[in-house]
Each structure stands twice: as structure tokens, then as C-alpha cells.
């Protein structure tokens, strides 16, 4: 059965790009959400194998969504990768404190993205 | 039997990059072409600059009728008071851009493309019926983004050809 990835971003451009890369380079099934709140409800229903989530979003940012996902028993062990425009140490540390497993910076490098996801999900 | 995967690795990597690059260019084009109105088209420029190219400092300048000055029309992440007008006669790179082709900062150059304190990495003409009616300026790139890459130049071509709705609301896509 195909592994399922939840892509979360308020930018339709980013979602389109991520979905295209994963569809062409992997067998993962993609589902999408447009902000942190939407992501939590989608994640509970879809039970993804991994969440790839932007940090800066309206309604609820990625840090907060990540924290809340960790309180849901069904999502407490799901790998969460945050997508950020900032690679500074403090920002990354805040991501890890919110409970994420990893992070990747924008603009996304497709090779880096696929390699990172495969390290969690396998090929 | 031991099978070596090493010869295939470079191909695999270059193939992945190509797919990724194509995805970026396609996403940029679709986002601009599907913009519902002028505000959405301007938002598309911001999204493309931030998510696909790697800058959160972007401005759009409209070209005046005499093509002697460019007036700030919209900006994101830059101080609008510092960049309200650009005079073409003082900015040699702008003359090049007004011929219809984007201009990029060279890889190892420390020179800015405009005479501003803020580093400029790309000047992109926005074409309406083949004529530049505005210029998109990409300022400082993210600290982890060292330079404008070939794929970024492709995306800038898309901006040049598909962003007219952001400055000419009535212009058809």
C-alpha cells in the first residue's frame, strides 16, 4: 500500500510543486491542507505516514500545529518535517521544540526533499 | 551477488533535479495564469519569489509613458520610501531590461544591479504584448540561497511573460 504524505502550505504554488515532485519521483500518495488548523483535522482523518508542513501560515502556524499533533495519540509518532524559509539555529531549535522530526528550507531542492522523505518512509 | 549502485547515482540525482526544476517552472506558470484578479496576481509574484526563487524582498515598478522613470507600484519586504522612483538614465541595467530581457546579478559579482543600498539580484521586465510595462525587482536572497540558479532564470522568464495581470488588470492572460 502506498505511503501517504500530508502536504501543508498556504501557498498553492508550493503545494503544486511538492505534489508534482512526489508524484513523479515516488509512489507516495499526497493529501493537502492549507493551514495548521486544516492540517490537524486532515491528519486525524487521513492518518498520514508523514507530514510535510510549512511554518508561516494563517490561522495556525506550523509550530503550533506540530505541537497539537503531538498531543493526538494517533499522530504522536508520525514523522513531521517543517518547511521553513529560515535556516537560522534559533528558528530550527524552535521547530524541534514544537516536536518536529526534521526540517527543510525553502526554496525546496527536489533531490533533498525526496531523499529526506525516503529516509523516513523508504522508497 | 553484490550490485553496485554508484554509477547510477549521478543520473538519478540529475534526473531528480530536472523533475524538480520542471515542477517549479510549471507551478509558477499555473499560479500566474490562474490568478483571479490583480491582487491575486501580485500575491502570486510574492509567492513565487519566496517559495520558488528564495527572496522575501520584492518590488514591482511601473514604467512611465516616456520610459524615463519607473514608479514603485507594489512591494513586499522592502522599505517603499527608499525605492519610490528609479530614473532610467541613472541605472544602466534598467536600459537593458527595458529592451525586454531579464538581467541577473553575476555569480561572483558584488555589484548591485541598481544604485540602491539594498542588493538587487534580478530585474525582470513584465511584458504586455511584447513590451515591458513594468519591472519586477528581486532584492536580497535568503541567507542560505547563495545565488540565482539556472532554474530561477526560467522562473523569471515565466514571471516576465505571465505576470502582466499584476500591473495591467484588464490585460487578458
Amino acid at each position: 500500500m502506498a505511503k501517504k504524505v500530508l502536504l501543508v502550505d498556504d501557498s498553492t504554488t508550493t503545494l503544486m510543486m511538492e505534489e508534482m515532485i512526489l508524484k513523479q519521483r515516488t509512489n507516495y500518495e499526497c493529501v493537502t491542507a492549507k493551514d495548521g488548523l486544516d492540517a490537524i483535522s486532515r491528519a486525524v482523518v487521513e492518518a498520514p505516514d508523514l507530514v510535510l508542513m510549512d511554518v508561516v501560515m494563517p490561522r495556525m502556524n506550523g509550530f503550533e500545529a506540530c505541537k497539537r499533533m503531538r498531543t493526538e495519540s494517533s499522530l504522536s509518532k508520525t514523522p513531521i518535517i517543517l518547511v521553513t524559509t529560515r535556516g537560522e539555529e534559533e528558528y530550527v531549535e524552535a521547530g524541534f521544540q514544537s516536536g518536529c522530526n526534521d526540517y527543510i528550507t525553502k526554496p525546496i531542492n527536489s533531490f533533498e526533499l525526496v531523499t529526506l522523505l525516503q529516509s523516513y518512509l523508504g522508497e | 551477488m553484490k550490485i553496485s549502485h554508484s554509477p547510477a547515482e549521478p543520473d538519478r540525482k540529475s534526473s531528480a533535479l530536472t523533475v524538480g526544476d520542471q515542477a517549479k517552472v510549471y507551478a509558477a506558470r499555473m499560479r500566474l495564469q490562474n490568478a483571479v484578479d490583480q491582487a491575486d496576481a501580485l500575491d502570486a509574484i510574492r509567492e513565487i519569489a519566496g517559495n520558488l526563487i528564495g527572496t522575501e524582498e520584492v518590488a514591482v515598478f511601473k514604467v512611465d509613458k516616456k520610459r524615463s522613470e519607473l514608479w514603485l507600484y507594489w512591494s513586499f519586504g522592502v522599505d517603499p520610501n527608499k525605492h519610490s522612483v528609479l530614473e532610467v538614465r541613472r541605472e544602466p541595467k534598467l536600459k537593458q531590461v527595458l529592451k525586454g530581457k531579464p538581467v541577473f546579478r553575476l555569480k561572483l559579482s558584488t555589484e548591485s544591479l541598481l544604485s540602491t543600498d539594498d542588493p538587487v539580484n534580478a530585474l525582470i521586465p513584465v511584458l504586455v504584448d511584447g513590451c515591458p510595462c513594468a519591472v519586477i525587482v528581486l532584492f536580497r536572497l535568503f541567507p542560505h540561497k547563495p545565488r540565482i540558479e539556472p532554474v530561477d532564470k526560467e522562473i523569471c522568464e515565466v514571471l516576465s511573460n505571465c505576470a502582466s495581470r499584476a500591473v495591467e488588470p484588464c490585460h487578458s492572460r
Side-chain angles (χ1 to χ4, degrees):
Chain A
M1 206 168 110
K3 296 281 173 64
K4 192 185 284 184
V5 178
L6 173 61
L7 306 172
V8 190
D9 205 302
D10 60 316
S11 156
T12 52
T13 318
T14 306
L15 287 179
M16 196 187 301
M17 179 198 62
E18 289 172 347
E19 210 167 348
M20 265 186 83
I21 292 169
L22 296 183
K23 278 186 176 165
Q24 291 189 37
R25 298 294 302 171
T26 72
N27 292 320
Y28 306 150
E29 180 192 346
C30 296
V31 287
T32 61
K34 61 184 185 323
D35 59 51
L37 269 182
D38 190 24
I40 295 167
S41 51
R42 287 285 277 170
V44 169
V45 173
E46 298 282 351
D49 296 290
L50 183 145
V51 178
L52 179 68
M53 181 158 58
D54 188 26
V55 172
V56 181
M57 293 183 290
R59 297 214 301 164
M60 183 187 288
N61 68 32
F63 292 150
E64 187 59 32
C66 189
K67 275 184 202 164
R68 295 215 195 170
M69 281 182 190
R70 289 305 183 219
T71 65
E72 294 281 340
S73 57
S74 62
L75 301 169
S76 62
K77 299 261 181 345
T78 306
I80 299 175
I81 296 170
L82 291 179
V83 183
T84 165
T85 55
R86 298 171 197 185
E88 290 100 327
E89 205 171 312
E90 283 175 22
Y91 207 71
V92 172
E93 185 54 38
F96 285 120
Q97 280 183 4
S98 73
C100 81
N101 297 72
D102 231 318
Y103 78 96
I104 189 168
T105 51
K106 288 185 181 181
I108 286 176
N109 174 300
S110 63
F111 183 72
E112 196 184 329
L113 174 68
V114 170
T115 306
L116 183 60
L117 264 59
Q118 284 176 340
S119 74
Y120 285 94
L121 302 176
E123 294 189 27
Chain B
M1 188 174 77
K2 191 180 175 186
I3 299 169
S4 169
H5 291 285
S6 50
E9 287 305 309
D11 286 340
R12 198 173 151 203
K13 183 175 179 181
S14 100
S15 165
L17 287 173
T18 305
V19 167
D21 292 351
Q22 286 170 350
K24 284 183 182 180
V25 175
Y26 177 82
R29 182 173 288 118
M30 292 305 291
R31 179 65 182 86
L32 284 165
Q33 288 182 347
N34 291 332
V36 293
D37 54 25
Q38 185 183 20
D40 194 32
L42 287 166
D43 202 43
I45 294 173
R46 180 194 59 76
E47 262 189 46
I48 290 164
N51 294 306
L52 304 184
I53 297 175
T55 173
E56 283 181 333
E57 297 180 20
V58 55
V60 176
F61 291 83
K62 275 190 107 168
V63 182
D64 75 345
K65 282 182 183 168
K66 292 178 183 169
R67 296 165 68 85
S68 59
E69 287 179 336
L70 276 69
W71 291 81
L72 182 65
Y73 186 65
W74 170 90
S75 67
F76 182 83
V78 291
D79 179 358
N81 298 316
K82 278 170 72 179
H83 307 285
S84 54
V85 185
L86 299 173
E87 288 184 67
V88 176
R89 65 187 172 87
R90 289 173 186 267
E91 306 286 355
K93 299 291 183 191
L94 274 183
K95 286 180 191 162
Q96 280 179 252
V97 177
L98 292 179
K99 288 177 183 164
K101 283 285 169 196
V103 172
F104 304 99
R105 189 177 183 177
L106 294 174
K107 229 178 202 178
L108 300 173
S109 170
T110 51
E111 175 205 25
S112 185
L113 300 179
L114 295 177
S115 57
T116 70
D117 298 340
D118 299 319
V120 173
N121 280 282
L123 299 169
I124 307 155
V126 178
L127 303 177
V128 174
D129 300 326
C131 292
C133 66
V135 174
I136 298 171
V137 180
L138 302 182
F139 289 90
R140 194 177 282 102
L141 299 173
F142 292 149
H144 56 273
K145 167 95 182 182
R147 68 186 75 89
I148 293 282
E149 307 284 350
V151 62
D152 302 323
K153 294 182 181 179
E154 294 280 327
I155 295 167
C156 289
E157 285 288 341
V158 171
L159 281 168
S160 185
N161 290 302
C162 304
S164 58
R165 200 162 214 216
V167 284
E168 299 284 332
C170 298
H171 189 262
S172 65
R173 287 167 285 167

